[in-house]
Amino acid sequence: MSHLLKIPNFLWAFVVCVLLSYELTCGYDTGGGIVEGKLNVHLVPHSHDDVGWLKTIDQYFIGSNNSIQVACVENVLDSVVMSLLRDPNRKFIFAEMAFFRRWWLIQSAGIKNQVKKLVSTGQLEFVNGGWCMHDEAATHYIDMIDQTTLGHDLIKSNFNVTPRAGWQIDPFGHSAVQAYLLGAELGFDSLHFARIDYQDRAKRKGDKSLEVVWRGSKTFGSSSQIFTNVFPRHYSPPDGFNFEVSGVFEPVQDEPLLFDMNVEKRVNDFINASLFQANVTRTNHIMWTMGEDFKYQYAESWFKQMDKLIHYVNMDGRVNALYSTPSIYTDAKLASNISWPLKTHDYFPYANNGDSYWTGYFTSRPALKGYVRSLSGYYLASRQLEFLVGRRNNGPNTFSLGDALGIAQHHDAVSGTAKQHTTNDYQKRLAIGALEAEAVVNSALSCLTSSTSNCTISTSTFSQCPLLNISFCPPAENIPSGKSLVIVAYNALGWNRTDVIRIPVKDANFVVQDNEGNTVEAQFIEFDNITSNLRSFYTEAYLGISPEDVPKYWLLFQASVPPLGWNTYFVTQTPGKGQYVSVADHTPQNDTIEIGPGSLKMLFSLQSGQLKRIINSRTRIDLPIQQSYLWYGSGSGNQPSGAYIFHPSDSPPVIVSRSVPVKVIRGPLIEEVHQQFNPWIYQVTRLYKDKEHVEFEFTIGPIPTDDGVAKEVITRITADMVTDKLFYTDSNGRDFLKRVRDYREDWPLEVTQPVAGNYYPLNLGMFTTDNKTELSILVDRATGGASLSDGQMEIMFHRRMLYDDHRGVGEALDEIVCGNSTCQGLAIRGNYYLSIDHVGNGSRWRRTTGQEIYSPLLLAFTHETQDDYKASHSTRSTTMDPNYSLPPSVALITLQELEDGSVLLRLAHLYEAGEDVHFSTLVKVELKKMFAAKSIKTIKETSLSANQDKSAMKRMPWKVEGGSGSEPPTVRGGPIDPSALVVELGPMEIRTFILQV
């Protein structure tokens, strides 16, 4: 038998094993680095771990509910760490800190020390480093910053490192704000992702322009550019090189004692795939993304194969393979010293084929999108209040809400593309976080408003009304006899604001007084049936209660609140009716109904009930305009609309109604037109006495599908304007980008979907313009919009689908809400806002009103007699110098006390360069006046996520093709003087500071 053991000598070189302790470790040479003059194949091991999608985040972490998807992130991290410890040359990258925190908290001190060593040596590299891999269409820039800061703080505090690479591999399109703000301004050197339009990818593969230098900001230009790597295919390895233990692959068989040795074949497979990719990539460096969704659950299955491939490929010598990371890869690209194509603008919309535009998710799950947006503004305000009274080490704090919001920014969360049970989990987490933050706010307001200096003794017990939008507000509905309803309105903005407060009351026998006892003009408006029905069904569905008494009126009054301060109003029962009880106006005005208590007027047709004109008597703008509701039917065939895809049928959208019943409500503060477009679409159009914009409140749903047709509901605004195919949409609530119908700036567009292919994401709003007028619309949540004809804008508000769109979620987007006895399709209530301005003047309204929509007045309620309350409380105050407010072009987007007692401060300039002749300028913020009641001991400027000193951030000097031309000078604020404490901000600049106070 001895002749069977005779093995050719050269085969012994394939396997050199040594026995180390109890395990057999194969001695493959994986330690080689980059080799000049060869094609270098950078193997980047990764696992893309969705923070919820088909399963909830916790199910994904612990590996439960595997009948849906076999995935366990705890196994991934356990297994990867052990594999990295076996070979110091192995590397791995990890992105989602919401998962990593769960894992880190349950590790032993020994494991933690080993992981810290892996991070310090570069074997384990954090990429992106946010709480999740956030979406880029349905996220607001403040939320993107907040969730990234959460993750970066975890990394910095435990490992003292700062991520260098953006890793947005799975979001369905990519925003300009992601490039310059959540990329360059974080200190990232590079950005990496997979999904771009199929036509764009084909063009870029042809001219080797997948990798670019991206300048996402017109304002900052090259000063905020970032190297961007678009993968030639998905974020998975080339075919045949996915080594998940449960998968089907051909392993490298190099054991001479076994049959089917295939080293030469697998080396050739590797080299052929490498050369194929090199044909679409510049320089002699290519990246293989060695992973996919929830891979490395048994990490050795991957690392053993990669060890062998690196060893044998490098022995072959035709190409060089190495373990790598995005940072190593980017350094190699920079060292090549070549010029790169220039990319501006963004990567929206995204389509993966001619019938599949991923523009439906801009609107999917509008209730979740609205909840996320409202809690985002609430989180901003609650952190301010938490700071103002001092963060407590014990008891309620705002972290739970920040954690839930961070998870909700995930690209399958706020996007509306998760399974229903996962979406329910996101909402549950948000509700739990909001409840804890509400306790923080109530306690803080009790402390701030107290006349005593001892905050441990509460003088009032406040409550809030999170369901006020459906008229449910118990403290306003049940005012004890002999007491007043005390309303404390807190203003999270840095300037004084005047808004109308609306609360439900059971009768009209109330008077409103301000903090000085003056009677405030008030108006009562009777409840409509739609509001009463919403309230009845959704209080039962959400709270499990069925209130017997339904309020009869909305009580409205105007409140004025100082910056970062509060004002108090008292609602007291009085004999007889209140000041002004609005009733429906049935008086015809020829064939036209005109409404508007101020300078802005709207004219409706008495015959059709439809809007005809908007007139501003102050600016002398008179614009013929129409507004209607329509719905698109879902396309049939192989590609229906679904959670991701918007694929309307070839038929034009269905006009809901050409003749609309109207009810007109008049009053001194507000005038309204109520329109019942059909049994499931109701709209209230409001004009305010002291505001020059229109507020539309829509109630849509349940959308009927008993006709077998899925429906996607839009409003369409059509004005007499010549707009030449142009319109503008915001990028994550920040910059406005020019859009041209049926056009892409990067390639000659083949129009396959003239509707879905012209939809873009909205977070702030959109506008269009001709040579005389700007027509602007702002929204209250993430959604999608388009301009399909000149002078026309449309926004999608609600979707109800019948089929899955075959993109993995595996169920139709059909949201059902159940009460105690009945279930029905989801109804949503929301707002959008419209303004007409002269050309060049619309930005002031968009920027200021946009901030007010994002940060509404925070209302807290209690019951007490006026005299008793005033005797023990401060009824009106600001935490700033009473004679100071922030410039109108500056927003305070973060004021937060951190765990170590330091204070995180962010200030944002709201205007782009050249956007407004007066406000697109350098401005100053005086911190001494802003923090009037506190003393700033030290101040340090940091990166956007506060994880490194601003002075330590270095820009990579990328060369750009055709980029040597002159740019307009970039205006940025200068260094802050620690004694003067004046912060300068240039247009679009966000500056972040850590203070000791």
Side-chain angles (χ1 to χ4, degrees):
M1 299 288 292
S2 60
H3 66 281
L4 297 177
L5 298 178
K6 292 181 179 178
I7 300 170
N9 290 336
F10 75 93
L11 289 180
W12 285 112
F14 290 163
V15 182
V16 180
C17 295
V18 294
L19 190 64
L20 297 180
S21 65
Y22 60 89
E23 69 178 353
L24 195 66
T25 302
C26 293
Y28 297 105
D29 183 4
T30 58
I34 292 169
V35 176
E36 297 298 330
K38 285 188 178 181
L39 176 62
N40 290 275
V41 185
H42 294 250
L43 305 183
V44 179
H46 78 100
S47 176
H48 175 59
D49 301 328
D50 289 303
V51 183
W53 180 38
L54 306 183
K55 307 198 297 188
T56 70
I57 178 174
D58 287 347
Q59 289 171 350
Y60 271 135
F61 180 71
I62 64 173
S64 61
N65 212 355
N66 279 348
S67 61
I68 293 178
Q69 185 181 14
V70 178
C72 177
V73 178
E74 185 177 18
N75 284 351
V76 171
L77 288 167
D78 285 344
S79 183
V80 163
V81 167
M82 293 301 103
S83 287
L84 293 180
L85 291 171
R86 286 184 176 130
D87 183 346
N89 298 315
R90 291 174 173 177
K91 300 185 186 302
F92 190 82
I93 62 172
F94 195 80
E96 297 86 3
M97 292 302 108
F99 279 131
F100 190 85
R101 178 176 181 268
R102 282 165 167 73
W103 182 82
W104 187 248
L105 290 174
I106 59 176
Q107 299 309 303
S108 66
I111 292 294
K112 288 183 176 181
N113 287 333
Q114 289 178 316
V115 173
K116 288 179 179 180
K117 291 178 182 177
L118 293 174
V119 172
S120 66
T121 61
Q123 281 189 263
L124 177 61
E125 180 175 311
F126 295 112
V127 291
N128 247 17
W131 224 231
C132 68
M133 188 180 294
H134 57 228
D135 187 54
E136 298 183 38
T139 44
H140 193 277
Y141 77 95
I142 295 178
D143 289 327
M144 297 164 84
I145 294 170
D146 284 343
Q147 78 88 17
T148 303
T149 301
L150 269 181
H152 283 195
D153 177 65
L154 177 71
I155 295 169
K156 186 70 174 180
S157 60
N158 286 284
F159 303 100
N160 195 33
V161 296
T162 58
R164 288 184 53 194
W167 191 254
Q168 288 288 111
I169 60 175
D170 198 29
F172 327 120
H174 303 279
S175 72
V177 160
Q178 177 65 39
Y180 84 86
L181 189 62
L182 277 298
E185 295 299 311
L186 285 174
F188 288 170
D189 298 323
S190 60
L191 177 60
H192 308 258
F193 50 77
R195 297 188 189 271
I196 63 171
D197 187 274
Y198 73 104
Q199 295 182 37
D200 193 12
R201 187 188 302 277
K203 181 259 183 187
R204 292 183 181 279
K205 289 173 74 171
D207 60 15
K208 295 189 175 185
S209 62
L210 286 167
E211 294 176 316
V212 298
V213 171
W214 189 1
R215 295 177 183 170
S217 168
K218 299 188 301 290
T219 297
F220 294 127
S222 60
S223 70
S224 278
Q225 68 187 19
I226 190 166
F227 177 77
T228 303
N229 167 30
V230 180
F231 306 150
R233 44 177 288 153
H234 201 47
Y235 50 80
S236 52
D239 292 341
F241 293 92
N242 186 323
F243 302 129
E244 189 67 10
V245 66
S246 59
V248 178
F249 62 89
E250 183 180 359
V252 179
Q253 208 301 82
D254 61 351
E255 171 54 63
L257 297 177
L258 303 179
F259 289 165
D260 303 322
M261 289 185 64
N262 63 355
V263 172
E264 182 178 0
K265 177 184 181 300
R266 294 303 277 149
V267 167
N268 285 333
D269 291 343
F270 185 99
I271 291 171
N272 290 337
S274 301
L275 294 175
F276 181 82
Q277 184 171 331
N279 287 330
V280 299
T281 309
R282 302 188 186 193
T283 78
N284 62 331
H285 295 274
I286 64 172
M287 178 190 289
W288 280 18
T289 48
M290 300 301 294
E292 241 270 3
D293 292 8
F294 301 99
K295 303 307 181 189
Y296 291 79
Q297 297 192 62
Y298 174 59
E300 278 300 291
S301 178
W302 286 85
F303 282 113
K304 284 180 179 179
Q305 299 303 313
M306 288 187 287
D307 287 349
K308 293 178 181 182
L309 284 170
I310 291 171
H311 180 82
Y312 294 122
V313 165
N314 293 346
M315 284 181 61
D316 176 271
R318 285 175 285 173
V319 304
N320 180 62
L322 67 152
Y323 280 120
S324 189
T325 67
S327 299
I328 294 171
Y329 180 77
T330 302
D331 290 341
K333 288 287 184 175
L334 180 68
S336 65
N337 199 32
I338 69 166
S339 295
W340 298 93
L342 176 64
K343 165 68 182 173
T344 58
H345 226 60
D346 64 3
Y347 288 91
F348 284 116
Y350 162 62
N352 68 295
N353 61 55
D355 285 336
S356 302
Y357 275 89
W358 298 47
T359 53
Y361 83 94
F362 298 164
T363 305
S364 295
R365 302 196 187 278
L368 172 64
K369 285 177 164 68
Y371 195 33
V372 168
R373 183 58 50 82
S374 66
L375 288 182
S376 175
Y378 189 77
Y379 180 50
L380 183 149
S382 63
R383 285 179 293 165
Q384 290 180 2
L385 290 165
E386 187 177 44
F387 156 72
L388 290 172
V389 298
R391 188 179 189 275
R392 294 181 178 179
N393 294 325
N394 299 312
N397 60 56
T398 57
F399 175 81
S400 180
L401 180 55
D403 171 51
L405 278 168
I407 292 169
Q409 306 313 313
H410 169 57
H411 58 269
D412 280 308
V414 69
S415 59
T417 56
K419 280 186 176 292
Q420 185 63 57
H421 81 103
T422 306
T423 301
N424 295 343
D425 184 73
Y426 291 135
Q427 294 168 333
K428 178 179 179 180
R429 292 173 186 279
L430 289 166
I432 292 170
L435 190 64
E436 185 172 347
E438 187 176 321
V440 172
V441 168
N442 290 338
S443 175
L445 285 174
S446 179
C447 175
L448 282 173
T449 59
S450 174
S451 297
T452 68
S453 58
N454 187 357
C455 276
T456 60
I457 303 174
S458 177
T459 54
S460 289
T461 302
F462 287 106
S463 61
Q464 296 169 52
C465 296
L467 295 181
L468 186 58
N469 69 318
I470 59 168
S471 78
F472 185 69
C473 186
E477 300 167 32
N478 302 290
I479 304 174
S481 177
K483 292 188 177 182
S484 296
L485 172 67
V486 183
I487 305 175
V488 176
Y490 175 74
N491 175 19
L493 298 181
W495 56 74
N496 189 78
R497 69 190 297 178
T498 300
D499 275 343
V500 170
I501 291 176
R502 297 164 51 90
I503 58 170
V505 291
K506 291 182 178 179
D507 208 336
N509 57 342
F510 292 100
V511 65
V512 181
Q513 293 171 292
D514 65 16
N515 63 303
E516 295 179 347
N518 301 311
T519 299
V520 177
E521 187 174 38
Q523 181 178 343
F524 295 84
I525 298 178
E526 286 187 345
F527 262 38
D528 57 79
N529 289 335
I530 300 298
T531 297
S532 298
N533 292 339
L534 271 182
R535 169 194 168 94
S536 175
F537 181 78
Y538 281 91
T539 52
E540 180 182 286
Y542 291 160
L543 304 177
I545 61 175
S546 300
E548 295 181 2
D549 295 331
V550 177
K552 296 179 181 179
Y553 298 96
W554 286 107
L555 166 59
L556 303 92
F557 63 93
Q558 202 170 66
S560 179
V561 189
L564 281 190
W566 64 90
N567 203 351
T568 308
Y569 294 86
F570 301 90
V571 178
T572 308
Q573 195 166 14
T574 185
K577 294 293 183 182
Q579 292 171 295
Y580 193 98
V581 180
S582 297
V583 294
D585 181 4
H586 300 288
T587 306
Q589 301 168 337
N590 302 320
D591 63 343
T592 299
I593 301 169
E594 178 183 302
I595 68 162
S599 59
L600 190 67
K601 307 292 183 184
M602 300 181 77
L603 279 61
F604 293 80
S605 166
L606 183 63
Q607 183 177 4
S608 69
Q610 301 276 15
L611 176 63
K612 298 197 311 183
R613 309 183 81 87
I614 298 181
I615 301 170
N616 190 319
S617 59
R618 184 186 65 81
T619 61
R620 300 182 183 276
I621 297 175
D622 184 344
L623 185 65
I625 191 169
Q626 295 176 317
Q627 182 263 335
S628 56
Y629 283 93
L630 307 90
W631 54 264
Y632 291 101
S634 173
S636 57
N638 294 328
Q639 184 55 77
S641 285
Y644 300 92
I645 306 298
F646 175 31
H647 187 219
S649 67
D650 294 332
S651 303
V654 175
I655 298 172
V656 169
S657 178
R658 297 184 184 276
S659 181
V660 184
V662 299
K663 179 174 68 174
V664 179
I665 304 295
R666 299 192 183 277
L669 297 177
I670 294 177
E671 294 193 354
E672 298 180 343
V673 170
H674 293 234
Q675 296 166 292
Q676 183 84 54
F677 284 84
N678 67 9
W680 47 275
I681 298 180
Y682 191 82
Q683 179 173 275
V684 180
T685 303
R686 298 190 181 99
L687 290 180
Y688 293 83
K689 175 182 177 182
D690 295 324
K691 295 183 183 296
E692 293 188 358
H693 67 253
V694 187
E695 176 184 296
F696 297 92
E697 179 187 85
F698 59 86
T699 305
I700 302 174
I703 299 174
T705 55
D706 49 4
D707 55 1
V709 179
K711 298 176 179 66
E712 310 183 66
V713 183
I714 65 167
T715 188
R716 180 175 284 175
I717 310 287
T718 304
D720 186 14
M721 298 172 65
V722 180
T723 55
D724 195 26
K725 296 186 176 181
L726 298 179
F727 61 109
Y728 299 80
T729 66
D730 72 277
S731 179
N732 302 114
R734 197 83 180 121
D735 310 62
F736 276 93
L737 303 184
K738 183 173 76 173
R739 310 297 189 183
V740 182
R741 188 167 59 253
D742 294 333
Y743 174 80
R744 303 290 188 268
E745 67 172 13
D746 291 330
W747 78 92
L749 176 67
E750 177 188 355
V751 178
T752 60
Q753 288 288 309
V755 176
N758 282 300
Y759 257 71
Y760 291 89
L762 309 180
N763 279 278
L764 177 57
M766 62 189 299
F767 70 95
T768 190
T769 181
D770 61 11
N771 59 3
K772 297 184 298 183
T773 308
E774 280 184 19
L775 176 63
S776 305
I777 299 174
L778 298 181
V779 295
D780 68 345
R781 70 197 68 195
T783 186
S787 175
L788 303 180
S789 298
D790 273 13
Q792 188 182 93
M793 292 186 287
E794 68 182 52
I795 300 173
M796 187 179 292
F797 287 138
H798 201 357
R799 317 175 71 222
R800 190 177 184 188
M801 302 294 101
L802 296 176
Y803 304 103
D804 178 48
D805 56 9
H806 315 307
R807 291 305 182 276
V809 75
E811 60 186 35
L813 182 68
D814 185 10
E815 298 185 271
I816 304 295
V817 181
C818 292
N820 290 337
S821 56
T822 61
C823 295
Q824 63 184 35
L826 175 71
I828 60 163
R829 170 167 284 183
N831 298 87
Y832 65 103
Y833 308 81
L834 182 146
S835 177
I836 54 172
D837 298 275
H838 290 297
V839 171
N841 291 340
S843 62
R844 299 184 194 182
W845 177 77
R846 291 190 294 270
R847 295 301 184 181
T848 301
T849 306
Q851 285 301 117
E852 293 175 349
I853 294 169
Y854 178 81
S855 289
L857 289 174
L858 191 158
L859 304 180
F861 305 89
T862 191
H863 299 121
E864 204 162 339
T865 65
Q866 284 195 50
D867 290 342
D868 288 347
Y869 187 88
K870 289 178 179 179
S872 57
H873 292 81
S874 167
T875 55
R876 187 182 191 278
S877 186
T878 173
T879 58
M880 298 167 63
D881 184 312
N883 298 313
Y884 183 72
S885 64
L886 294 184
S889 56
V890 174
L892 170 63
I893 64 172
T894 309
L895 180 58
Q896 176 183 4
E897 183 177 341
L898 304 177
E899 285 190 26
D900 63 1
S902 61
V903 178
L904 177 61
L905 170 69
R906 282 194 194 91
L907 298 165
H909 199 299
L910 295 174
Y911 289 79
E912 299 175 63
E915 184 177 359
D916 184 273
V917 65
H918 298 293
F919 292 143
S920 295
T921 57
L922 188 75
V923 293
K924 298 180 179 181
V925 174
E926 300 180 54
L927 296 186
K928 289 182 179 179
K929 293 182 179 179
M930 183 176 165
F931 292 86
K934 297 180 182 292
S935 175
I936 298 175
K937 299 175 183 178
T938 63
I939 183 168
K940 176 180 69 176
E941 187 167 10
T942 69
S943 65
L944 184 68
S945 63
N947 68 343
Q948 57 186 309
D949 289 355
K950 184 79 169 180
S951 59
M953 296 171 62
K954 306 297 181 186
R955 305 284 188 202
M956 282 188 162
W958 296 99
K959 294 180 179 180
V960 177
E961 292 178 347
S964 58
S966 61
E967 293 182 272
T970 299
V971 178
R972 292 183 184 262
I976 186 169
D977 183 335
S979 58
L981 293 175
V982 175
V983 176
E984 297 177 334
L985 294 111
M988 277 287 106
E989 189 172 17
I990 297 178
R991 299 185 70 176
T992 304
F993 302 93
I994 297 292
L995 314 179
Q996 298 291 339
V997 297

